[in-house]
């Protein structure tokens, strides 16, 4: 199967197929077969008969005996390019040859048909010949092998262009002589009838064109009305859009002013919070320093108390009288209690003094520990306040950032109601109280 013909007839888009049809009709001359009462088609029939007379004289004589003229069997060959009866496998090759060689390739194919069917046609009568051309000849070339052989034979047949030009001149001369021999009145009547038909056809075309013009004007008027209605609607929408744009810009300006005010408020709150943080940090550092000093002082007092206690113990143990009364651990010996009442009273006085002094030292130690605990509690409270203040600052930053983003989004999409400035002051007041 020919690739070009397959693409042309099966796979080509409609627009390209129509362009190819226009090319064949105008550039290859197929349109001339349908014009001027098929004059060019009758000329082709005359040329085919003269070629048949020259190359197949016995078949031509048989057709003359049967009064079988070329237009009786070859009209569809020239008008439809063999597509009416013959299979596509052969039509593809014929169209290929026509696109390459021109419209005269029809004579080659027609002569190839007549040569291959010569024996059958010589034995057929008038009805049999017409039936053969109509039924049996297309069936014979349904097989691709037969179609291929026929196309090879058609390509081998020589149909000189000069010979065709000569036959065309003969046909024109014959038609001219027939017209001259014809009665002028009949010729004028026929010409008048032809002109009347052409006039009626032109009038019909004029009426169709006028109807089409009126219809197109009405359609254009309707389209114009619809376009004007659409233009009015679009103008209204444009005005509304402009008004919305102005409102949106005004709302955006208000939002920007509120955003600037919010930024200023939060900046002041942030500065205050930073100052509070600095003060709290300084107080914490001061309390830490005080705690370290108290710890150092407590350690020094404990060391001094221990040294003083050791000194008292050493003095007690160095005294012979006291060493007999007290043991090394600082407790009274039971055996000595009943010996001397004077020494016992003296030792009791010293013991009372020592107990008072010890109690005073323990009281000072307890006060120092209490101050240390109070300092640690104060430090923890200050750290807790610092953490709460940092959380409030972070929350204020996040809320300010989110409000700013939301205000920008709402300003760009739809005009929202402007929020009052009073909640800003209310949100800033807890920060001052917490600080």
């Amino acid at each position: 199967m020919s690739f070009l013909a397959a693409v042309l007839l099966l796979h080509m888009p409609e627009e390209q197929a129509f362009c190819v049809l226009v090319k064949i009709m105008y550039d290859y001359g197929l349109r001339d077969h349908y014009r001027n009462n098929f004059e060019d088609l009758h000329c082709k029939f005359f040329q085919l008969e003269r070629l048949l007379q020259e190359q197949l004289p016995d078949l031509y004589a048989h057709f003359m005996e049967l009064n079988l003229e070329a237009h009786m069997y070859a009209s569809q060959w020239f008008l439809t390019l063999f597509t009416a009866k013959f299979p596509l496998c052969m039509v593809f090759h014929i169209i290929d040859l026509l696109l390459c060689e021109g419209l005269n390739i029809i004579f080659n194919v027609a002569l190839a048909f007549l040569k291959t069917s010569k024996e059958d046609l010589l034995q057929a009568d008038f009805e049999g010949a017409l039936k053969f051309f109509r039924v049996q000849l297309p069936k014979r070339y349904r097989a691709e092998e037969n179609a291929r052989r026929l196309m090879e034979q058609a390509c081998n047949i020589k149909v000189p262009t000069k010979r065709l030009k000569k036959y065309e001149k003969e046909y024109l001369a014959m038609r001219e002589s027939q017209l001259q021999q014809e009665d002028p009145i009949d010729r004028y009547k026929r010409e008048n009838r032809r002109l009347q038909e052409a006039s009626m056809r032109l009038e019909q075309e004029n009426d169709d064109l006028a109807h089409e013009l009126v219809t197109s004007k009405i359609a254009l008027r309707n389209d114009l009305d619809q376009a004007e209605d659409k233009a009015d609607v679009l103008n209204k929408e444009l005005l509304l859009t402009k008004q919305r744009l102005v409102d949106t810009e005004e709302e955006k300006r208000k939002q920007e002013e509120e955003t600037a005010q919010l930024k200023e408020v939060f900046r002041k709150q942030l500065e205050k919070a930073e100052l509070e943080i600095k003060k709290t940090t300084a107080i914490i550092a001061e309390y830490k320093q005080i705690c370290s000093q108290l710890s150092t002082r407590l350690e020094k007092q404990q060391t001094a108390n221990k040294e003083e206690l050791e000194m008292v113990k050493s003095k007690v143990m160095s005294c012979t009288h006291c060493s007999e009364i007290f043991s090394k651990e600082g407790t009274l010996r039971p055996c000595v209690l009943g010996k001397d009442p004077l020494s016992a009273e003296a030792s009791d006085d010293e013991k009372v003094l020592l107990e008072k002094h010890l109690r005073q030292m323990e009281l000072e130690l307890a006060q120092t520990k209490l101050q240390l605990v109070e300092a640690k509690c104060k430090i923890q409270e200050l750290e807790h306040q610092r953490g709460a203040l940092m959380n409030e600052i972070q929350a204020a930053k996040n809320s300010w950032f989110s409000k700013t983003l939301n205000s920008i989004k709402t300003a760009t999409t739809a005009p929202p109601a402007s929020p009052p400035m009073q909640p800003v002051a209310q949100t800033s007041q807890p920060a001052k109280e917490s600080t």
Side-chain angles (χ1 to χ4, degrees):
M1 182 183 293
S2 171
F3 175 75
L4 177 60
V7 171
L8 177 62
L9 297 179
L10 297 178
H11 302 289
M12 184 177 290
E14 294 180 359
E15 295 83 0
Q16 296 182 6
F18 181 76
C19 293
V20 173
L21 176 62
V22 172
K23 187 77 173 177
I24 292 174
M25 292 294 289
Y26 285 89
D27 293 349
Y28 286 84
L30 185 62
R31 181 171 177 268
D32 296 334
H33 292 174
Y34 302 88
R35 300 177 62 191
N36 299 326
N37 292 326
F38 301 98
E39 284 293 331
D40 190 71
L41 181 63
H42 288 290
C43 179
K44 292 292 189 295
F45 293 153
F46 179 80
Q47 290 173 334
L48 179 61
E49 288 181 348
R50 294 289 285 120
L51 289 172
L52 182 63
Q53 181 181 4
E54 180 182 350
Q55 299 188 14
L56 298 171
D58 49 353
L59 185 60
Y60 174 77
H62 181 66
F63 284 171
M64 290 297 101
E65 290 177 1
L66 298 177
N67 291 325
L68 183 64
E69 297 179 358
H71 66 86
M72 298 179 182
Y73 59 87
S75 59
Q76 290 185 350
W77 297 354
F78 286 93
L79 291 176
T80 65
L81 300 180
F82 303 93
T83 58
K85 298 289 184 180
F86 294 94
L88 290 177
C89 62
M90 187 177 68
V91 174
F92 291 149
H93 294 288
I94 294 173
I95 293 177
D96 271 347
L97 290 175
L98 185 142
L99 294 176
C100 294
E101 302 294 335
L103 202 62
N104 291 334
I105 198 67
I106 300 176
F107 294 108
N108 298 63
V109 179
L111 291 175
F113 278 147
L114 295 173
K115 284 185 178 180
T116 54
S117 307
K118 177 181 177 181
E119 300 298 330
D120 297 327
L121 292 172
L122 288 175
Q123 296 177 4
D125 56 359
F126 182 81
E127 296 293 335
L130 291 179
K131 185 177 180 180
F132 178 82
F133 282 116
R134 188 176 62 255
V135 179
Q136 297 179 5
L137 187 63
K139 288 183 179 179
R140 179 177 295 180
Y141 296 102
R142 288 179 181 176
E144 293 188 11
E145 185 63 25
N146 295 336
R148 186 183 59 79
R149 271 187 258 165
L150 177 70
M151 297 311 298
E152 289 179 356
Q153 187 174 359
C155 292
N156 293 327
I157 295 175
K158 294 182 179 181
V159 181
T161 306
K162 292 182 180 181
R163 191 70 55 84
L164 292 176
K165 291 290 184 181
K166 177 183 176 182
Y167 294 155
E168 183 179 358
K169 290 179 180 179
E170 290 179 2
Y171 175 77
L172 294 176
M174 182 184 68
R175 289 291 297 167
E176 186 67 25
S177 62
Q178 289 178 356
L179 292 175
Q180 289 179 359
Q181 292 175 3
E182 189 178 7
D183 188 6
I185 297 175
D186 295 336
R187 186 169 68 252
Y188 291 150
K189 286 182 180 180
R190 188 180 68 254
E191 186 67 21
N192 188 20
R193 186 168 56 253
R194 186 181 65 79
L195 292 175
Q196 287 180 354
E197 292 175 356
S199 177
M200 292 177 63
R201 187 178 69 254
L202 291 174
E203 288 179 357
Q204 184 64 33
E205 291 179 356
N206 189 17
D207 294 339
D208 295 338
L209 290 174
H211 179 70
E212 185 178 356
L213 180 61
V214 172
T215 306
S216 61
K217 282 185 177 181
I218 294 173
L220 288 174
R221 183 70 258 178
N222 293 330
D223 294 339
L224 183 60
D225 294 337
Q226 293 178 0
E228 289 177 354
D229 295 337
K230 288 183 179 179
D232 294 336
V233 173
L234 290 174
N235 287 328
K236 292 179 181 179
E237 291 181 356
L238 181 61
L239 292 175
L240 291 175
T241 305
K242 287 182 178 179
Q243 185 63 33
R244 288 178 183 175
L245 182 60
V246 172
D247 296 339
T248 305
E249 289 178 352
E250 182 67 22
E251 188 65 28
K252 182 181 178 182
R253 186 182 61 78
K254 292 180 180 178
Q255 293 290 337
E256 288 178 352
E257 292 177 357
E258 292 178 0
T259 304
Q261 292 176 2
L262 287 172
K263 285 183 179 179
E264 185 64 24
V265 170
F266 281 110
R267 186 183 63 79
K268 291 180 180 179
Q269 289 183 357
L270 186 61
E271 290 178 354
K272 290 181 181 179
E274 288 177 353
L275 291 174
E276 292 293 333
I277 290 172
K278 289 180 180 178
K279 290 179 181 178
T280 307
T281 306
I283 292 170
I284 291 171
E286 185 177 356
Y287 273 102
K288 285 183 178 179
Q289 186 178 1
I290 291 170
C291 290
S292 63
Q293 291 176 0
L294 289 174
S295 299
T296 306
R297 181 180 174 185
L298 180 61
E299 290 176 358
K300 289 180 179 179
Q301 286 182 358
Q302 287 178 355
T303 305
N305 291 332
K306 286 181 181 180
E307 291 177 355
E308 189 175 356
L309 184 59
E310 290 295 330
M311 188 183 293
V312 170
K313 284 182 179 181
S314 61
K315 287 180 179 181
V316 169
M317 294 307 293
S318 61
C319 180
T320 56
H321 179 69
C322 293
S323 61
E324 293 177 356
I325 298 173
F326 295 97
S327 63
K328 292 182 179 181
E329 287 79 9
T331 58
L332 292 173
R333 293 182 179 180
C335 59
V336 186
L337 291 175
K339 288 184 179 181
D340 192 2
L342 295 174
S343 63
E345 289 178 0
S347 63
D348 289 336
D349 293 334
E350 291 179 359
K351 183 178 181 182
V352 169
L353 291 174
L354 289 173
E355 286 178 356
K356 286 181 180 180
H357 186 65
L358 183 61
R359 201 174 294 114
Q360 187 178 1
M361 291 178 66
E362 288 177 354
L363 182 60
E364 291 179 358
L365 180 62
Q367 289 177 357
T368 306
K369 287 182 179 181
L370 182 60
Q371 291 177 359
L372 182 61
V373 171
E374 288 177 355
K376 288 182 179 181
C377 291
K378 189 66 176 177
I379 290 171
Q380 290 179 358
E381 184 179 357
L382 290 173
E383 288 180 352
H384 178 69
Q385 290 179 0
R386 181 186 178 188
L389 188 60
M390 291 298 291
N391 292 330
E392 289 180 1
I393 292 171
Q394 187 65 30
K397 285 182 179 179
N398 293 332
S399 63
W400 170 77
F401 186 69
S402 62
K403 286 181 180 178
T404 305
L405 287 179
N406 290 329
S407 64
I408 292 172
K409 288 181 181 178
T410 52
T412 54
T413 54
S418 60
M421 294 302 294
Q422 186 176 359
V424 177
Q426 292 179 359
T427 54
S428 63
Q429 186 175 1
K432 293 180 179 180
E433 294 178 357
S434 62
T435 55

